[in-house]
């Protein structure tokens, strides 16, 4: 083999502060990793541990204009710390987990909340709620250690909607990598969205989103 019957799909590339781009392999996400957000979604963080879901790789991007997705009337924002891996493995010990981190970024886990509520009610998968086109906008990746504390916030048209601190994550970045690697063999190019603090809410066309984490480049986009 060598030639392909159709053109190979393009790589998904994320901007890196001051470097060449970061190629994306897979996108993993953590659900309910902040107690205050678990409560606002009607879950009990003391009884239900965080969990994982995925998005397609080409959902990620640095786009400054994000199209309002079809089939929803309730598009929600979720600001999250994103880990970018430079290596991986299976059953990674907690003590070595952070060795696999290339850098970190601010991301927004966009969610069709109405489709998610329907899926939860029917016991169906979340893919249509979480894995749609343009559902993982990000800021540029900052190489180096991922921050483990510091403010995380999201504003819509300059009104503060979400605010929290990375120190309040139920599973730390190291714990997430170790746990995820018991389910999947992690590889260089994997992105991990690490969960959102309270304050998730709807976005409308024309609104400008600014997502920030202390020490990282912000993610900014307009919903069109
Ligand atoms: Mn999320």
């Amino acid at each position: 083999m060598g030639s392909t019957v159709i053109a190979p799909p393009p790589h998904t590339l994320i901007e890196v502060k001051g470097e060449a781009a970061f190629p994306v392999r897979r996108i993993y996400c953590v659900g309910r990793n902040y107690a205050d957000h678990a409560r606002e979604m009607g879950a009990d963080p003391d009884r239900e541990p965080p969990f994982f879901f995925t998005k397609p790789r080409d959902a990620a991007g640095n786009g400054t204009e994000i199209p309002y997705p079809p089939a929803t009337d309730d598009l929600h924002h979720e600001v999250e710390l994103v880990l970018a891996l430079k290596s991986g493995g299976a059953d990674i010990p907690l003590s070595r987990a952070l060795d696999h981190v290339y850098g970190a970024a601010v991301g927004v886990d966009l969610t069709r909340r109405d489709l998610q509520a329907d899926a939860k009610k029917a016991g169906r998968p979340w893919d249509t709620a979480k894995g749609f086109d343009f559902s993982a906008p990000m800021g540029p990746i900052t190489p180096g250690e991922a921050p483990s504390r510091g403010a995380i916030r999201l504003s819509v048209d300059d009104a503060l909607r979400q605010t929290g601190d990375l120190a309040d994550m139920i599973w730390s970045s190291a714990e997430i990598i170790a746990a995820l690697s018991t389910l999947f063999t992690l590889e260089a190019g994997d992105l991990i969205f690490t969960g959102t603090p309270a304050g998730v809410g709807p976005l409308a066309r024309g609104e400008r989103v600014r997502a920030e984490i202390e020490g990282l480049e912000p993610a900014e986009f307009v919903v069109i």
Side-chain angles (χ1 to χ4, degrees):
M1 284 198 289
S3 61
T4 55
V5 295
I6 56 169
H11 293 293
T12 297
L13 299 174
I14 301 296
E15 190 184 334
V16 177
K17 198 180 163 187
E19 300 281 344
F22 181 91
V24 180
R25 173 181 176 260
R26 290 184 184 169
I27 306 175
Y28 296 103
C29 304
V30 183
R32 294 185 201 139
N33 199 27
Y34 291 76
D36 57 355
H37 171 64
R39 282 188 209 99
E40 79 178 345
M41 297 306 291
D44 178 353
D46 296 326
R47 294 178 50 196
E48 297 174 56
F51 55 90
F52 298 107
F53 58 93
T54 65
K55 291 179 186 257
R57 91 169 81 192
D58 63 353
N62 296 118
T64 53
E65 292 189 333
I66 299 294
Y68 195 97
T72 185
D73 297 309
D74 199 20
L75 175 67
H76 271 211
H77 55 74
E78 299 188 357
V79 59
E80 312 203 358
L81 170 71
V82 182
L83 306 173
L85 301 192
K86 63 185 174 192
S87 54
D91 300 319
I92 297 169
L94 192 58
S95 60
R96 309 309 306 262
L98 296 180
D99 298 350
H100 300 286
V101 175
Y102 170 77
V106 181
V108 182
D109 166 15
L110 291 174
T111 303
R112 294 196 274 214
R113 194 70 76 198
D114 40 4
L115 296 194
Q116 187 192 34
D118 291 348
K120 284 181 181 175
K121 224 177 296 167
R124 288 185 181 151
W126 284 12
D127 303 58
T128 58
K130 289 290 196 178
F132 52 92
D133 298 340
F134 304 99
S135 60
M138 295 173 58
I141 293 169
T142 300
E145 232 170 84
S148 57
R149 55 181 53 77
I152 174 169
R153 63 174 86 88
L154 181 141
S155 305
V156 178
D157 288 342
D158 296 325
L160 188 62
R161 290 268 193 92
Q162 289 190 262
T163 180
D165 195 290
L166 297 178
D168 295 330
M169 282 164 56
I170 295 172
W171 284 348
S172 67
S173 293
E175 288 169 327
I176 289 167
I177 291 167
L180 192 56
S181 76
T182 67
L183 296 164
F184 304 94
T185 299
L186 302 179
E187 299 279 358
D190 289 347
L191 296 177
I192 308 173
F193 281 63
T194 60
T196 197
V200 301
L203 290 169
R205 285 180 187 82
E207 288 184 325
R208 190 167 36 83
V209 175
R210 184 179 166 88
E212 298 168 283
I213 291 175
E214 225 177 300
L216 300 179
E217 298 290 300
E220 286 184 280
F221 59 87
V222 178
V223 182
I224 59 167

